[in-house]
Amino acid sequence: MVVVLVAGTLASAGANALNQWFDRDIDEAMSRTRKRPVVVGTIPNSHAIAFGICTNIVAFVMLTSMVNLLSAVLTLCATLFYVLVYTMALKRTSTQNIVIGGAAGAIPPAVGWVAVTGSLDLPAIYLFAIVFFWTPPHFWALSLLLKDDYASAKVPMLPVVAGVDVTKKSILLYTLLMLALTTMFALTGAVGSVYLVSSVVLGVLFIYYAWRLMRRPDIEGAKPLYLYSLLYLALLFLAIIADSFFKVGWYSWI
């Protein structure tokens, strides 16, 4: 577990460094990012590239030697997808940038599963899918708050291109799909009733925030939804941990 956490941190840090190198012109145009170290010159471009590549090499070696090859390959794929597909191909060209690009951030739960089992089983696919469908409502809520920033940087985020109302409806749609997936995950047998009840309650609350955002004027309600989305994902995975504890720990003793 420690190796996966450390290697995952290194890989994601490296991916972020490469992202900041490639997007330095966009970052300079946005108030939220214009003080990033590559933008202001604290870290030279060559150092950012070297750091991004080296940390991913270290992560790959750690996972290959101390966990298994499949977890290392998946981690490297997450970095490559984030940098090559999201950052370089989609972010500046498509409103679906964070939908498709969100696959990079959805890979880590699958890495955790593979690290333990050594195989990419159906529950791992569900864990990937849950985070994949969580990403759009989470990020679109943030992009509503930062739509003027994205517009000034000419980044085609959904609120900038399609408008606020379309974004709100899209948030609600993906939230409903996410709730369906989290419920279906229980059918795999990897989790039990503790997870199922928790996921339904958390999902209904997510829908409430999404519905409230859609019914309110402009972007009022976007910030509460964004903040709840962060809490939601943390609590959902804590529910998986709690379910595993009670299922394996307590039930096996009875």
Side-chain angles (χ1 to χ4, degrees), residues 166-249:
V166 171
T167 304
K168 290 179 179 181
K169 292 176 183 177
S170 300
I171 287 173
L172 181 59
L173 173 62
Y174 272 85
T175 303
L176 292 170
L177 291 172
M178 182 185 64
L179 177 58
L181 275 169
T182 55
T183 305
M184 290 168 60
F185 179 46
L187 301 178
T188 63
V191 288
S193 57
V194 173
Y195 163 81
L196 181 59
V197 172
S198 301
S199 66
V200 170
V201 172
L202 291 169
V204 169
L205 280 172
F206 207 128
I207 291 172
Y208 163 74
Y209 278 105
W211 177 257
R212 189 175 71 164
L213 170 64
M214 196 173 73
R215 302 299 296 176
R216 291 190 172 186
D218 199 36
I219 63 170
E220 186 180 339
K223 187 173 182 179
L225 173 61
Y226 171 71
L227 294 175
Y228 177 73
S229 69
L230 295 170
L231 179 64
Y232 168 85
L233 197 64
L235 292 179
L236 186 73
F237 278 88
L238 282 173
I240 295 174
I241 295 171
D243 189 277
S244 299
F245 173 75
F246 286 111
K247 188 176 180 180
V248 177

Side-chain angles (χ1 to χ4, degrees), residues 3-26:
V3 172
V4 170
L5 288 173
V6 172
T9 301
L10 288 170
S12 60
N16 187 257
L18 294 171
N19 171 272
Q20 290 193 35
W21 160 72
F22 188 80
D23 279 348
R24 58 195 183 279
D25 57 327
I26 292 177

Side-chain angles (χ1 to χ4, degrees), residues 39-53:
V39 175
V40 299
T42 306
I43 295 178
N45 292 333
S46 59
H47 290 194
I49 296 170
F51 178 84
I53 293 173

Side-chain angles (χ1 to χ4, degrees), residues 41-208:
T42 306
I43 295 178
N45 292 333
S46 59
H47 290 194
I49 296 170
F51 178 84
I53 293 173
C54 288
T55 51
N56 273 278
I57 291 173
V58 172
F60 187 87
V61 171
M62 285 180 64
L63 290 170
T64 302
S65 60
M66 291 185 271
V67 185
N68 56 51
L69 178 60
L70 184 54
S71 65
V73 170
L74 284 174
T75 301
L76 182 59
C77 286
T79 293
L80 293 175
F81 196 90
Y82 181 73
V83 175
L84 300 179
V85 178
Y86 170 69
T87 301
M88 295 185 176
L90 293 174
K91 186 173 181 178
R92 301 166 186 252
T93 61
S94 173
T95 57
Q96 297 301 299
N97 45 21
I98 59 96
V99 178
I100 301 170
I107 290 176
V111 172
W113 182 276
V114 167
V116 175
T117 65
S119 59
L120 194 62
D121 305 310
L122 182 60
I125 303 301
Y126 267 102
L127 290 172
F128 169 88
I130 288 169
V131 180
F132 182 82
F133 280 91
W134 165 87
T135 302
H138 160 73
F139 203 93
W140 281 334
L142 177 63
S143 66
L144 283 171
L145 298 170
L146 301 173
K147 67 180 189 302
D148 294 337
D149 241 8
Y150 284 121
S152 65
K154 295 181 173 58
V155 179
M157 289 298 177
L158 191 62
V160 176
V161 177
V164 172
D165 290 341
V166 171
T167 304
K168 290 179 179 181
K169 292 176 183 177
S170 300
I171 287 173
L172 181 59
L173 173 62
Y174 272 85
T175 303
L176 292 170
L177 291 172
M178 182 185 64
L179 177 58
L181 275 169
T182 55
T183 305
M184 290 168 60
F185 179 46
L187 301 178
T188 63
V191 288
S193 57
V194 173
Y195 163 81
L196 181 59
V197 172
S198 301
S199 66
V200 170
V201 172
L202 291 169
V204 169
L205 280 172
F206 207 128
I207 291 172
Y208 163 74

